[in-house]
Amino acid sequence: MSPDQSTSTFQKNLQSIIQRTGSQTLIMTDLEGGTPCNQSLLGTMNQPDVLVLSGMNLPMLLEALNCRHEYALPELARHLLDVGKTNILNSTLRFQEQLKDEGELDDFMN
């Protein structure tokens, strides 16, 4: 959804895309409660073969592209949620722990 796009235009485009993709459509949005998520939910509430996931991150998107044909829609959604959660990390802490485990933290910090 572009900043200058109206919700009615978004809905028309969304329905066109869903018609082209057929059943088992997954919509991934950035934020729950944001306009793309809300409009996707409103536009698909009577379409049981469409699921909307919010909170998408890059690992989820890449995994969706790589394994979209391996799972049925509900299983794909569960799998992507797991991928998304496991790829949210405190990288600073992990890096410090790795250096500490390797006995290199003191050398790195000095």
Side-chain angles (χ1 to χ4, degrees), residues 51-100:
L51 289 179
V52 178
L53 296 184
S54 62
M56 176 190 72
N57 59 29
L58 184 58
M60 290 172 70
L61 177 60
L62 295 174
E63 186 71 9
L65 292 172
N66 286 326
C67 70
R68 65 184 181 265
H69 300 295
E70 296 176 29
Y71 298 94
L73 186 59
E75 290 77 26
L76 177 61
R78 280 192 291 277
H79 176 67
L80 294 176
L81 290 173
D82 289 341
V83 168
K85 291 174 188 176
T86 59
N87 282 283
I88 298 172
L89 308 167
N90 182 335
S91 295
T92 297
L93 181 61
R94 287 174 48 107
F95 179 69
Q96 290 172 346
E97 288 173 351
Q98 181 180 0
L99 288 175
K100 186 177 181 181

Side-chain angles (χ1 to χ4, degrees), residues 9-26 47 49-50 69:
T9 301
F10 178 82
Q11 284 294 333
K12 288 177 190 171
N13 291 341
L14 179 64
Q15 292 308 315
S16 174
I17 291 167
I18 291 171
Q19 286 176 355
R20 282 192 312 237
T21 59
S23 64
Q24 305 295 303
T25 300
L26 177 66
Q47 296 174 297
D49 287 349
V50 178
H69 300 295

